[in-house]
Amino acid sequence: MNATTSTLRNAPPERIRFKLDGRSVKLDSRIHAARGDLADLSLAGVLFSAHYARSIELTCVAAGAPVLASATVTATAVSELLRGESFHALDVTTDWAWGFCGHDGYVGYVRRDALDVHEQTDHRVFAGTAPLFSAADIKSPIRDYWPGGALFTGKAEDGFIACAEGYVHERHAVGAEVLESDWVAVALRYLGQPYVWGGRGHRGIDCSGLVQVALGQCGIKAPRDTDLQREGIGDPLPSDEPLRRGDFVFFPGHVGIMTDGDNLLHANAHWMAVVVEPLADVVARLADDHAEPIISRRRIGA
């Protein structure tokens, strides 16, 4: 399969009539799928590309799959797909797919064997981690571990949710349409998980990944990176407004969630884990390198 066959010459005429005036604009390559030889068809009226392609929607079938900066296993992970999340592929080879994540539009490369045909999921892992049992029996061998937020298709059976890969205990999953309201409670389930750059919860997570998945399980879409979140989450707080549970505090290249007026929950490279610690300690740690350690405070809702 090669998604590049869906180029302009194969698109309906009403989809490809566009006009470019002036120079091609500079877009954020993290969230706009355009590279030297190919671009997403939706960008055809925005920037010039030698070729355009219409994406093919695929589903991540691995427990977690790194989204990489380039098509090599040694590339830096820029994000992560969780089981059941969609990936819109624009170019597919034997080993790699290039495109963008369905939940946030983030662009990168994913191993081809982590993706399969689009799946309409109906359940979501509620627990921080859910064992995937080989039978509807808690003593049966464990086939895998699915992260919180993973999506799958299944049917209730003897206290479990039976799916193609195995069995998830009913205590660990909810209907995909069931949303939570407390993103702090969701984020606390990741407490102690290792800090992993680009991670979103499969064996590790980073600061902005923690914010994104916690909000996502509450039905709130958030961008992937801290600078994008700083502009795209909630509203800024006045400098004299006391912090409270659920507020977001942004530092240079970092973000955390307040568990109350004084303590910050965050995935961080200092402790290499998701921890809760006094906000004052975080500020003191950054003060030597940054005159203003806190660069933004934001709140969702009144």
Side-chain angles (χ1 to χ4, degrees), residues 136-197:
D137 182 348
I138 61 173
K139 296 181 181 179
S140 65
I142 305 299
R143 290 180 175 174
D144 205 347
Y145 292 89
W146 283 353
L151 300 164
F152 63 100
T153 305
K155 184 177 180 181
E157 181 180 318
D158 298 329
F160 288 80
I161 310 298
C163 58
E165 297 96 324
Y167 297 80
V168 176
H169 197 278
E170 64 179 6
R171 298 287 190 191
H172 294 156
V174 294
E177 77 287 352
V178 177
L179 299 176
E180 302 189 52
S181 59
D182 184 353
W183 49 86
V184 176
V186 177
L188 282 168
R189 294 182 201 138
Y190 296 84
L191 200 62
Q193 190 168 113
Y195 176 86
V196 172
W197 181 272

Side-chain angles (χ1 to χ4, degrees), residues 61-180:
V61 292
V67 180
L68 304 177
S70 60
T72 171
V73 293
T74 59
T76 299
V78 294
S79 192
E80 182 177 53
L81 281 173
L82 305 181
R83 199 266 177 248
E85 291 184 327
S86 65
F87 186 76
H88 295 258
L90 294 162
D91 185 22
V92 181
T93 65
T94 303
D95 297 321
W96 296 97
W98 175 74
F100 54 94
C101 302
H103 61 276
D104 61 5
Y106 214 85
V107 178
Y109 291 82
V110 177
R111 288 284 302 181
R112 178 64 185 87
D113 56 12
L115 303 170
D116 207 336
V117 295
H118 177 58
E119 176 184 345
Q120 193 66 44
T121 58
D122 55 20
H123 285 80
R124 173 174 55 84
V125 171
F126 169 83
T129 301
L132 182 66
F133 296 92
S134 56
D137 182 348
I138 61 173
K139 296 181 181 179
S140 65
I142 305 299
R143 290 180 175 174
D144 205 347
Y145 292 89
W146 283 353
L151 300 164
F152 63 100
T153 305
K155 184 177 180 181
E157 181 180 318
D158 298 329
F160 288 80
I161 310 298
C163 58
E165 297 96 324
Y167 297 80
V168 176
H169 197 278
E170 64 179 6
R171 298 287 190 191
H172 294 156
V174 294
E177 77 287 352
V178 177
L179 299 176
E180 302 189 52

Side-chain angles (χ1 to χ4, degrees), residues 182-185 188 243-247 257-261 299:
D182 184 353
W183 49 86
V184 176
L188 282 168
L243 289 166
R244 69 187 191 198
R245 180 182 174 89
D247 287 343
I257 310 171
M258 298 300 294
T259 59
D260 53 37
R299 175 176 295 164

Side-chain angles (χ1 to χ4, degrees), residues 155-296:
K155 184 177 180 181
E157 181 180 318
D158 298 329
F160 288 80
I161 310 298
C163 58
E165 297 96 324
Y167 297 80
V168 176
H169 197 278
E170 64 179 6
R171 298 287 190 191
H172 294 156
V174 294
E177 77 287 352
V178 177
L179 299 176
E180 302 189 52
S181 59
D182 184 353
W183 49 86
V184 176
V186 177
L188 282 168
R189 294 182 201 138
Y190 296 84
L191 200 62
Q193 190 168 113
Y195 176 86
V196 172
W197 181 272
R200 295 179 60 246
H202 177 238
R203 300 178 181 172
I205 199 164
D206 65 17
C207 65
S208 56
L210 179 64
V211 168
Q212 188 186 59
V213 297
L215 287 175
Q217 292 183 52
C218 295
I220 302 172
K221 288 189 175 183
R224 179 61 181 91
D225 291 342
T226 55
D227 62 322
L228 301 174
Q229 291 179 353
R230 192 169 66 243
E231 301 300 324
I233 293 177
D235 299 301
L237 288 175
S239 59
D240 59 349
E241 177 73 19
L243 289 166
R244 69 187 191 198
R245 180 182 174 89
D247 287 343
F248 301 90
V249 180
F250 290 87
F251 312 85
H254 189 58
V255 63
I257 310 171
M258 298 300 294
T259 59
D260 53 37
D262 300 308
N263 295 291
L264 187 77
L265 167 64
H266 61 145
N268 65 94
H270 178 79
W271 298 112
M272 287 303 293
V274 178
V275 303
V276 176
E277 60 179 325
L279 175 62
D281 289 359
V282 180
V283 170
R285 206 158 52 231
L286 297 174
D288 289 342
D289 297 319
H290 304 283
E292 297 290 339
I294 295 178
I295 57 177
S296 181

